[in-house]
Amino acid sequence: MVNFGKVLASDQLEEWKEYYINYKMMKKKVKQYVQQTQDGGRNHEQVLKEFSRMLDEQIEKVVLFLLTQQGHLASRLEKLGQQRAILTEHSDISQVSQVREAYRQVGLDLVKLLRFVDMNATGIRKILKKFDKRFGYRFTDYYVSTRANHPYSQLQPIFKQVGIVAVAGALTRNLASLQDHQGSFISIYDHPSITLKDPVIEQINNSVQKLTHSTTFLTFLGQHAMIIPEDVQTSSEDLVDDQSYHFMSLMLNLVNTFLYMVNTYIIVPTADDYSVSLGAAATVCGVIIGSMAVAQVFSSVYFSAWSNRSYFRPLVFSSIMLFSGNVLYALAYDLNSLTVLILGRLLCGLGSARAVNRRYISDCVPLKIRLKASAGFVSASALGMACGPALAGLLQTEFKIYAVTFNQNTLPGWIMSLAWVGNLIWLWISFKEPDHFAKENAVNTQSSDSGHGRNDNLEGGLAQPLLTEAKERQGENADNNENDPKESHKAATSIAAAYRLLTPSVKVQLLIYFMLKFAMEILLSESSVVTTFYFNWSTSTVAIFLAVLGLTVLPVNVIVGSYITNLFQDRQILVASEIMVLIGIASSFHFGSSYCVAQYVVSALITFVFAEVLEGVNLSLLSRVMSSRLSRGTYNGGLLSTEAGTLARVAADMTITTAGYLGQSQLLNATLLPSLVICVASIAATFGTYNTLY
């Protein structure tokens, strides 16, 4: 793997060579600083001052050249504007093409300047990360905050590109005004919905989009889904082009995500009644709900491995398993068999294709819309979570067709089985396997014919990354592992190998993820039993309550992703959210002789809402601190986080069933106590690794 220093040397423009940051020199300086501090020749304060001064000088060199080039481009645009004004006055349409080409040439030069800024911004980020890693000191936090917020900031022109964006706006506006050969000129400002179809403008927009990769709602949701990493690929590194991208296949993956979440939560309001009707205790609902999560622990692994070779086949298998599981779930009532009921939920869990859905977005969706697709994944999950209980609330009826009973317990199974049949038919008709699988299958066939093993080809790199990582991220690791670069990028080949790659900060983030999923599952799964016991709520009331909780997901993510993350660091939001979850759990306990609806609802809202905030920030941090070796292969970071969350759900549902032996009067406090203990432990662990989270 070529490291960033070599990429910078090979990609930089020869005529601008002296104006790039001297990454190679700064890298050597960092090594010298490490040696000098170890030998006692310099203390950390001296090193920080000298490194800051050196970096300031490098950034100043880049910024001054950038301003000079912006001035040249602005001057050329001003002259072209005068020519365009003359054309407008005299309606000389014959000269329009010539002026348009001149504008496009300015655009091509702007793309070169954007690439210049991109290379230098990447170099600055990388040298700061390298300094932090070598010294174990979060200098980046201090340096960026002091330089970016200063009135005379020189980081703003590089990382915010205000001047460059203004030039791009002027260029786009003038090209748009020349688009109509009949002289009916338009303005992009008066008609913001108009998209200018020009290849040069598209190049500029793609470059600006990459440069302005800051905390936005879509980015926040993308990291929430564990699809979008902190460093985004450049357009040249994106393996998916617009021609190979298939919109309907993406929609089918999002529909699969939505239906699976509906399938998960549609039984929650009635699971306790169903278990009672089969002769079991109401708290056995924990086993019924949790059995789906138990199966998902295993299905996540084989679906992750299967998606190395195909997307269509695992999605078909998922639909078949979920159809079969829902039919068994519905038939269990007439068969009067709790075993069949649980078997049906196990089959549903074995059909969990969320690993495939994530993988498809990261591998098969073009970079320019990947953030939107990732946000769609999270939105589909949230919508399914809300629609499941809401749909259950509408199924309050009972009738028979021949010997088959249709009531509030069985209808969720029948409705979902029909939904999965429809999904399977749509999938069979409309899904298109990505082009790179067809090419790889052809290579595998040729290799097999010539005597080479299929497994060798697969291990040789046919698997695409689950968490999309840029080559620049891999290049950074190449810088840090110069002695054995191949080994440093080898994907984990087992759960044990993946576990060995987990640093303390990653382990803490996985613990936090376990904690929040445990707390949310306790809240949701026992809601029907608890509210029936204390408040005598009907199934419809429970369904409405759970639907309202689910509907808070997207508004909360909008607020956090668009506003809160721009005001505070992720680690600050992380700690605050953990504390609020702790408050929500603590306020849910039943003390005294009475327990009112207001206490339960308010504490549930606090717990659920801040657990949602915590989940987004937690996964965002997890994507940053996790090793790049966990970005690809079967045993990747997305799989580890999914397994942590699934195990938490299993543990929570088993806790509910176990606590049921104490009686329904003790169920609430008995299930909240483990949540409280795990939450306190996660807060303590967070403070222990706080300085490593950035």
Side-chain angles (χ1 to χ4, degrees):
M1 181 60 64
V2 180
N3 63 41
F4 176 74
K6 294 181 180 179
V7 172
L8 178 61
S10 62
D11 287 2
Q12 63 187 8
L13 297 172
E14 188 64 30
E15 63 270 27
W16 293 353
K17 186 175 182 179
E18 61 183 297
Y19 301 107
Y20 287 85
I21 64 167
N22 195 336
Y23 181 80
K24 185 177 181 180
M25 178 270 293
M26 289 191 290
K27 179 181 168 184
K28 288 182 178 179
K29 280 287 188 182
V30 171
K31 290 182 179 179
Q32 292 176 7
Y33 292 151
V34 173
Q35 187 63 41
Q36 289 168 355
T37 53
Q38 290 175 347
D39 295 341
R42 293 192 183 190
N43 59 39
H44 279 73
E45 185 176 354
Q46 292 173 325
V47 168
L48 291 175
K49 287 182 179 179
E50 184 172 330
F51 182 71
S52 298
R53 184 171 60 252
M54 177 180 64
L55 194 53
D56 287 341
E57 292 171 352
Q58 292 290 317
I59 292 173
E60 184 177 274
K61 175 180 67 174
V62 172
V63 170
L64 293 178
F65 177 75
L66 173 61
L67 294 174
T68 301
Q69 292 302 311
Q70 286 178 195
H72 292 332
L73 293 176
S75 178
R76 290 166 63 185
L77 286 173
E78 183 180 9
K79 292 178 182 179
L80 287 173
Q82 295 171 358
Q83 296 180 37
R84 186 183 62 78
I86 295 173
L87 291 178
T88 304
E89 292 175 3
H90 296 87
S91 299
D92 189 356
I93 304 301
S94 62
Q95 299 296 317
V96 168
S97 178
Q98 182 179 349
V99 174
R100 185 189 296 112
E101 288 305 314
Y103 272 115
R104 285 174 175 161
Q105 187 56 52
V106 174
L108 292 174
D109 290 340
L110 178 59
V111 171
K112 288 167 56 179
L113 189 59
L114 286 165
R115 178 61 178 164
F116 170 82
V117 176
D118 176 43
M119 294 295 290
N120 284 287
T122 301
I124 293 168
R125 289 198 305 268
K126 285 187 170 297
I127 200 65
L128 284 168
K129 287 183 179 181
K130 185 176 291 295
F131 187 89
D132 288 350
K133 185 170 184 177
R134 293 296 180 91
F135 282 88
Y137 178 78
R138 291 292 157 181
F139 175 70
T140 299
D141 190 359
Y142 166 79
Y143 186 85
V144 172
S145 62
T146 55
R147 268 62 176 177
N149 298 324
H150 196 277
Y152 303 137
S153 171
Q154 292 185 328
L155 280 181
Q156 293 286 351
I158 295 178
F159 288 98
K160 295 299 182 183
Q161 311 93 35
V162 177
I164 292 181
V165 171
V167 173
L171 183 65
T172 305
R173 185 186 69 82
N174 284 286
L175 273 175
S177 70
L178 292 170
Q179 192 173 40
D180 193 326
H181 289 258
Q182 303 303 317
S184 179
F185 302 115
I186 57 176
S187 170
I188 61 172
Y189 301 115
D190 296 330
H191 305 277
S193 61
I194 292 176
T195 302
L196 182 60
K197 299 295 184 182
D198 189 286
V200 174
I201 297 301
E202 289 181 2
Q203 288 186 53
I204 293 172
N205 289 339
N206 290 337
S207 299
V208 170
Q209 182 183 16
K210 180 181 184 298
L211 280 170
T212 54
H213 175 64
S214 57
T215 303
T216 63
F217 175 46
L218 293 181
T219 306
F220 182 78
L221 288 182
Q223 291 177 328
H224 194 153
M226 280 297 281
I227 295 171
I228 301 299
E230 183 183 15
D231 294 326
V232 180
Q233 285 176 308
T234 63
S235 57
S236 63
E237 293 160 350
D238 190 20
L239 301 178
V240 185
D241 56 32
D242 292 337
Q243 287 72 32
S244 63
Y245 162 62
H246 191 239
F247 173 76
M248 191 57 68
S249 298
L250 171 62
M251 286 301 301
L252 283 162
N253 274 277
L254 296 181
V255 168
N256 183 280
T257 298
F258 168 77
L259 289 178
Y260 185 79
M261 294 304 290
V262 173
N263 212 145
T264 300
Y265 290 100
I266 193 172
I267 72 158
V268 171
T270 58
D272 56 335
D273 288 338
Y274 206 164
S275 61
V276 170
S277 69
L278 297 179
T283 52
V284 175
C285 68
V287 174
I288 298 172
I289 297 170
S291 55
M292 193 169 176
V294 170
Q296 190 180 343
V297 172
F298 303 99
S299 66
S300 296
V301 177
Y302 66 71
F303 271 116
S304 181
W306 202 350
S307 62
N308 290 336
R309 300 184 296 277
S310 173
Y311 294 110
F312 175 70
R313 288 190 292 273
L315 288 175
V316 168
F317 179 78
S318 169
S319 296
I320 293 173
M321 294 298 288
L322 282 154
F323 165 76
S324 304
N326 281 291
V327 169
L328 288 179
Y329 182 85
L331 290 175
Y333 186 87
D334 292 308
L335 296 174
N336 195 30
S337 173
L338 184 63
T339 302
V340 173
L341 181 72
I342 294 174
L343 178 60
R345 290 294 286 179
L346 286 171
L347 288 180
C348 288
L350 291 175
S352 172
R354 287 173 66 80
V356 179
N357 305 143
R358 283 192 180 102
R359 185 77 171 264
Y360 186 88
I361 293 173
S362 69
D363 283 3
C364 305
V365 176
L367 177 64
K368 62 183 180 182
I369 64 168
R370 196 170 297 155
L371 282 174
K372 293 181 180 179
S374 304
F377 176 85
V378 175
S379 301
S381 298
L383 188 60
M385 186 177 182
C387 287
L391 183 59
L394 299 175
L395 303 177
Q396 304 302 301
T397 186
E398 184 169 358
F399 59 92
K400 275 194 173 188
I401 298 179
Y402 297 106
V404 180
T405 303
F406 296 86
N407 58 23
Q408 66 173 11
N409 297 325
T410 64
L411 277 171
W414 293 121
I415 293 294
M416 292 312 303
S417 62
L418 290 176
W420 286 113
V421 168
N423 181 74
L424 180 60
I425 295 172
W426 186 14
L427 187 70
W428 199 273
I429 295 172
S430 302
F431 191 86
K432 178 184 177 183
E433 194 78 278
D435 292 341
H436 68 271
F437 277 136
K439 295 176 183 177
E440 288 167 1
N441 289 336
V443 171
N444 286 346
T445 302
Q446 293 174 4
S447 299
S448 177
D449 292 342
S450 62
H452 295 293
R454 179 181 295 266
N455 290 335
D456 292 338
N457 285 326
L458 291 173
E459 291 300 323
L462 296 185
Q464 299 296 319
L466 173 63
L467 301 180
T468 310
E469 286 292 337
K471 288 182 180 179
E472 63 176 51
R473 173 95 175 253
Q474 296 172 345
E476 177 185 335
N477 287 313
D479 287 340
N480 296 329
N481 298 278
E482 294 164 346
N483 294 331
D484 193 2
K486 290 184 179 180
E487 183 65 25
S488 68
H489 300 299
K490 185 179 179 182
T493 56
S494 66
I495 288 288
Y499 182 80
R500 287 193 293 271
L501 294 174
L502 302 184
T503 61
S505 55
V506 174
K507 291 178 182 178
V508 169
Q509 294 308 305
L510 289 175
L511 171 63
I512 294 171
Y513 192 64
F514 180 93
M515 177 273 292
L516 68 91
K517 286 297 183 183
F518 185 93
M520 290 173 69
E521 188 72 10
I522 288 289
L523 170 64
L524 298 174
S525 295
E526 72 176 10
S527 58
S528 182
V529 178
V530 169
T531 55
T532 300
F533 178 78
Y534 285 106
F535 317 126
N536 199 29
W537 281 6
S538 65
T539 300
S540 297
T541 307
V542 176
I544 293 171
F545 171 70
L546 294 177
V548 170
L549 285 181
L551 289 173
T552 63
V553 174
L554 281 182
V556 167
N557 280 323
V558 169
I559 295 171
V560 176
S562 299
Y563 303 105
I564 304 299
T565 51
N566 291 325
L567 299 175
F568 303 98
Q569 296 176 14
D570 281 358
R571 56 182 180 176
Q572 294 173 325
I573 303 173
L574 184 82
V575 173
S577 300
E578 285 182 280
I579 293 173
M580 290 304 299
V581 170
L582 179 64
I583 292 173
I585 294 172
S587 59
S588 299
F589 278 89
H590 175 207
F591 298 109
S593 57
S594 64
Y595 191 64
C596 65
V597 173
Q599 179 185 350
Y600 178 77
V601 171
V602 171
S603 61
L605 279 171
I606 293 174
T607 302
F608 188 83
V609 168
F610 283 97
E612 278 297 322
V613 175
L614 183 59
E615 181 175 2
V617 178
N618 167 249
L619 291 179
S620 174
L621 284 169
L622 191 59
S623 68
R624 300 181 194 180
V625 300
M626 190 171 283
S627 168
S628 61
R629 291 178 62 185
L630 292 172
S631 67
R632 46 196 178 273
T634 300
Y635 302 96
N636 50 66
L639 175 64
L640 292 178
S641 61
T642 299
E643 294 291 76
T646 304
L647 288 172
R649 291 174 54 205
V650 172
D653 291 323
M654 293 303 102
T655 299
I656 293 172
T657 301
T658 304
Y661 289 104
L662 301 176
Q664 292 190 23
S665 61
Q666 301 298 318
L667 176 67
L668 182 65
N669 289 351
T671 53
L672 287 175
L673 186 59
S675 297
L676 188 71
V677 172
I678 299 172
C679 188
V680 171
S682 71
I683 293 174
T686 301
F687 281 113
T689 58
Y690 186 78
N691 290 330
T692 66
L693 302 176
Y694 182 75

